[in-house]
Amino acid sequence: MQKLSRILFAITLTLSILGFPTQAFAKTKIQMAILLDSSNSMDGLIDQTRTQLWQIVNYLTQVSKDGEVPELEVALYHYGNDNLPSSEGFVRLLTGFTPELDLVSEKLFSIRTNGGQEYAGWAMRSAMRELNWSKDKEDFRVIFIAGNEPFDQGPIPWRESVALAVKGNTFVNTIYCGSAESQERQLWAEGASLAQGSHFNINQNEKVEFIKSPYDEQIAAWNAKLNQTYIPYGAQGEVGQQRQVIEDSNSGVNLATRGGSKASRYYNNASWDLIDAINEGRVTLEQLPNEALPLAMQGMTLAQKQEYVAAKKAERETIQKMIRDLSQKRSEYVEKQRLLSANSGKNTLDSVIIQSLSQQLAAKGFKVR
């Protein structure tokens, strides 16, 4: 299978050089489903996920398989909340697998905590049955489930749900947010073990220190310029562009971290951005009606449209490189400061997710540069 992947990669690269579309060749995928307890005591967990999503994505930008960057798809559930229907196990799918990280961030900020029954088994079963998991054994599939109540709550046996994950070659990592000494941890740990995953304990209310760097303002300035290179098209154009700006604002002091993610190949907005859509082969300028284009392009000839898109694409690539270079310097600076921090060595959501991803991706043949 690895030999075949290398052959396909070589063919894809040759076609790309010759100017032919290469979307027909599927890339290796990383599929990550995040299941969050949204009961009253979990505000801290939700906040950690909101702020640390981009740190996790930035880690994944270092991952490759057979010499190429895989595709990243993220799905999001929340559970354990009385605002959710009891007939659905107090479980809600916020977004299925999507490469559009702004949508994931938007859904994270939509979560409102409330007391409820926390059915981990039901949540895992929903994820295994409802999501469009890849069938390719070379792809990486993983569930992260976090909560602070007994793992065996509810009418769906957790062992059956974990068995579904094992059958689907999907790792299950469990994150217990209660006391480290609690007996409840045992089943959370057992669930991870049966699915070849990892178990962690975190304090969901741990305040994660944001370490400022001398590069943050420059990254923010380039990020604003990066946004200007996006070309909204179709029914989702305006919605997607507004979402981008809102999620920039939602990231707050973490905009520098988010900026690094936006400069990576994982930041894909093909549902509303014309450049990404053309790159993926979703649309062509020849076929796209004028009314689906932004006003600035509607009076252009085809040649002018092509020139406009090419200029924006080149500008974007230049800006993204600037942000990547600054982000690398920022990462080196922050790592040195973190070693001196009082929070050094403490488990937070991003650190345990990255730790488990590092081990499990390696086990599946992925490499981290």
Side-chain angles (χ1 to χ4, degrees):
M1 181 63 74
Q2 289 186 350
K3 183 178 180 181
L4 177 60
S5 296
R6 287 194 291 271
I7 292 171
L8 288 175
F9 174 69
I11 294 172
T12 301
L13 181 62
T14 302
L15 289 173
S16 177
I17 292 171
L18 293 174
F20 291 97
T22 58
Q23 288 76 17
F25 296 98
K27 296 176 67 176
T28 307
K29 284 185 179 181
I30 295 174
Q31 292 186 314
M32 180 166 57
I34 302 173
L35 286 53
L36 300 174
D37 177 353
S38 60
S39 60
N40 269 337
S41 55
M42 291 292 104
D43 290 285
L45 174 69
I46 306 302
D47 285 342
Q48 282 194 27
T49 313
R50 289 167 176 164
T51 59
Q52 295 168 359
L53 169 67
W54 307 110
Q55 187 67 28
I56 296 164
V57 172
N58 288 344
Y59 165 77
L60 288 171
T61 62
Q62 306 172 64
V63 174
S64 65
K65 190 168 189 182
D66 297 328
E68 66 174 353
V69 176
E71 293 180 353
L72 173 64
E73 295 180 343
V74 181
L76 181 65
Y77 281 85
H78 72 120
Y79 73 100
N81 187 319
D82 278 347
N83 286 332
L84 307 178
S86 60
S87 60
E88 298 173 11
F90 306 100
V91 176
R92 173 162 293 166
L93 172 64
L94 292 171
T95 177
F97 283 126
T98 178
E100 301 204 6
L101 300 173
D102 283 353
L103 177 61
V104 178
S105 181
E106 178 185 71
K107 296 301 182 182
L108 279 170
F109 278 91
S110 75
I111 297 175
R112 298 293 177 265
T113 58
N114 192 43
Q117 302 298 310
E118 298 158 41
Y119 297 165
W122 199 316
M124 290 186 292
R125 187 185 71 169
S126 295
M128 289 309 305
R129 288 185 173 181
E130 295 173 359
L131 296 176
N132 185 26
W133 293 98
S134 165
K135 300 297 189 295
D136 190 333
K137 291 185 177 180
E138 294 298 305
D139 290 343
F140 180 79
R141 294 165 290 274
V142 65
I143 287 174
F144 289 93
I145 181 167
N148 71 337
E149 288 290 331
F151 201 58
D152 57 355
Q153 275 193 28
I156 307 301
W158 66 268
R159 290 180 185 275
E160 292 183 9
S161 300
V162 169
L164 287 174
V166 173
K167 184 178 180 181
N169 296 305
T170 303
F171 293 99
V172 175
N173 297 303
T174 61
I175 303 170
Y176 181 67
C177 303
S179 168
E181 292 76 30
S182 172
Q183 293 297 311
E184 292 176 357
R185 282 189 64 189
Q186 293 180 4
L187 292 185
W188 284 82
E190 188 176 347
S193 177
L194 290 175
Q196 301 180 33
S198 301
H199 169 68
F200 300 95
N201 174 243
I202 67 170
N203 175 6
Q204 76 273 17
N205 295 316
E206 186 76 49
K207 296 299 180 184
V208 181
E209 178 187 7
F210 177 78
I211 300 175
K212 294 182 179 180
S213 86
Y215 309 101
D216 294 357
E217 290 186 6
Q218 296 177 70
I219 293 173
W222 282 112
N223 174 74
K225 294 178 181 179
L226 178 64
N227 287 357
Q228 299 305 309
T229 69
Y230 284 82
I231 306 174
Y233 80 97
Q236 293 299 312
E238 185 177 348
V239 173
Q241 192 169 48
Q242 289 178 350
R243 180 188 295 128
Q244 182 181 64
V245 173
I246 291 170
E247 297 316 309
D248 275 357
S249 177
N250 280 338
S251 65
V253 295
N254 290 281
L255 180 59
T257 309
R258 170 173 157 82
S261 297
K262 289 174 67 176
S264 76
R265 295 186 186 181
Y266 286 142
Y267 191 67
N268 183 320
N269 296 289
S271 73
W272 65 268
D273 169 61
L274 189 56
I275 294 174
D276 286 348
I278 291 174
N279 286 345
E280 286 201 352
R282 289 196 184 193
V283 299
T284 65
L285 285 172
E286 292 84 353
Q287 297 173 340
L288 204 61
N290 262 332
E291 58 268 23
L293 295 170
L295 287 175
M297 293 182 66
Q298 289 185 10
M300 296 180 179
T301 65
L302 177 59
Q304 289 172 328
K305 292 174 184 176
Q306 292 170 334
E307 184 179 355
Y308 182 85
V309 171
K312 287 289 187 181
K313 181 178 180 180
E315 182 184 2
R316 180 182 302 180
E317 290 172 351
T318 299
I319 294 171
Q320 286 177 324
K321 185 180 185 307
M322 292 294 299
I323 294 176
R324 285 196 297 270
D325 291 344
L326 289 167
S327 294
Q328 179 61 37
K329 293 176 182 178
R330 182 183 189 280
S331 295
E332 293 169 359
Y333 176 88
V334 168
E335 186 57 31
K336 291 177 182 178
Q337 298 301 310
R338 184 173 285 122
L339 293 174
L340 304 174
S341 169
N343 286 331
S344 178
K346 291 184 178 180
N347 279 348
T348 52
L349 188 76
D350 64 333
S351 68
V352 300
I353 287 180
I354 289 171
Q355 182 179 333
S356 56
L357 285 173
S358 177
Q359 297 168 351
Q360 292 156 15
L361 284 165
K364 289 284 291 184
F366 291 75
K367 293 183 179 180
V368 180
R369 66 174 183 270

